[in-house]
Amino acid sequence: MRTQVAIVGAGPAGLLLGALLHRAGIDNVVLEQRSAEYVLGRIRAGVLEQVAVDLLREAGAAVRMDELGLPHGGFEMAFGDRRLRIDLQALTGKQVMVYGQTEVTRDLMAHRQASGRPTHYEAENVQPHGYDGERPHLSYRHGGSERRLEADFIVGCDGFHGVCRATLPAGALQTFEKVYPFGWLGLLADTPPVNDELIYGHTERGFMLASMRSHERSRYYLQCSLDDKVEQWSDEAFWAEFSRRLPADVAQRLATGPSLEKSIAPLRSFVAEPMRFGRLFLAGDAAHIVPPTGAKGLNLAASDVGLLARALAEYYRGTGPGRSAGIDHYSQQALARVWKAERFSWWFTSLMHRFPENGDFGLRMQQAEFDYLCHSTAAQTVLAENYVGLPLG
Ligand code: FAD
Ligand code: PHB
């Protein structure tokens, strides 16, 4: 089998890239190691920036999002017993869209099926080859037989644990990593959200986040210990702890119910440089991870593939040697945006979580930072500008 662009991974990065390339008339095949149901079963991000919204529209996969997504013009911060609303709309003129990653993935899957471009789910032992030369290809096992997919380019959209970054030769990449000393315990429930807007809270007992998927479905998070096991957290224990961390007046409105999903995610900052090696590109979580506090993971995946799709379209439209300029700049351009999102996610994580190991001095620094935010429109604008997302460039 032969294609122009071979994509590894059918998460949001792989599927959105496939849709954008299809739009530009570029042939592509997606290989995914899991089943479609498994991919849809993962509950992850919930907030889309304008850039991601625009790319989904450009790809032609935004009809349900435009119908069902919830535009939010602000969010709340609670710090001890103090509250601050960040008015995104007033500070930046922009909003974010609350629409779950599961739904984004579902929409992109349906779009792909309608486009007729192939996706091979349950592809085993996918391996990239020859990307340092002119004839890259992927080998894999599917439906009981060994297959080979030849391509002009390979794109690793295969997430943090994927194969593409892992097969690069030692020394090809420089990596940067910070692991945080806690995780997030998340719970999804069919209960009306406790607040109209998201609430990010710093409490004595740790961080909390009240988010949502719709007017009927809530998504809530608690800072938890890395030693915690999800089985130790009954629904009752979650609700009791969540209620304690909510501001008291908000807690009175909390509606509880059985969980649809509960999971623990570790928090990490990670970047691999560069994001291109010969005819192999990395995009999304395959190249970088942010802690979820800034809601940037899915948005960075979208902006990476937005840049890459543009560069590949330029390459296939062009003729002379200049046609490679976009793909030659992809890594540098994507990384400039990635590092700013890394900085913001690290900063917001550092402000909103409890770090007992930082002692009383660390806590006073967090309190002073929050106090400064409360009294400075400039500081709020910095937060808002980063939260709604920087321009694609
Ligand atoms: P992924 O979604 O990881 O997709 C990669 C795909 O590649 C997967 O389908 C995987 O099965 C496939 N794959 C892997 N290896 C192979 C292989 N060898 N061969 C073929 N296919 C392969 N972000 C937020 O903004 N907010 C959140 O609340 C949030 N919560 C998160 C919770 C968890 C538990 C995790 C893991 C992430 C969370 N994120 C969150 C981050 C966000 O979900 C990711 O940034 C986003 O999924 C990145 O998309 P992606 O397509 O790059 O990678
Ligand atoms: C979510 O709804 O899952 C969500 C929202 C905002 C975040 C992280 C996660 O910062």
Side-chain angles (χ1 to χ4, degrees), residues 96-112:
V96 293
M97 179 78 92
V98 172
Y99 190 63
Q101 178 167 335
T102 311
E103 300 310 312
V104 171
T105 309
R106 197 190 307 282
D107 297 348
L108 286 166
M109 280 177 175
H111 179 273
R112 189 159 182 89

Side-chain angles (χ1 to χ4, degrees), residues 43-47 98 100 184 198 200 207 209-213 218-221 291-296 348 387:
I43 306 299
R44 292 181 172 180
V47 176
V98 172
W184 275 22
L198 272 61
Y200 291 86
F207 170 83
L209 168 59
S211 181
M212 67 193 74
R213 291 292 175 270
S218 303
R219 178 66 165 165
Y220 298 140
Y221 296 97
T293 326
K296 288 281 165 265
F348 203 27
Y387 191 84

Side-chain angles (χ1 to χ4, degrees), residues 151-180:
D152 299 333
F153 299 101
I154 296 171
V155 187
C157 295
D158 47 352
F160 183 63
H161 299 289
V163 67
C164 290
R165 190 183 76 247
T167 54
L168 289 175
L173 291 178
Q174 190 175 6
T175 60
F176 305 83
E177 185 171 41
K178 177 176 174 64
V179 176
Y180 299 84

Side-chain angles (χ1 to χ4, degrees), residues 3 28 70 75 77 123 140 194 227 262 296 324 330 382 393:
T3 185
N28 65 87
L70 308 174
F75 65 84
M77 294 172 74
Y140 62 105
V194 69
D227 298 327
K262 228 171 7 198
K296 288 281 165 265
S324 295
Y330 163 70
V382 172

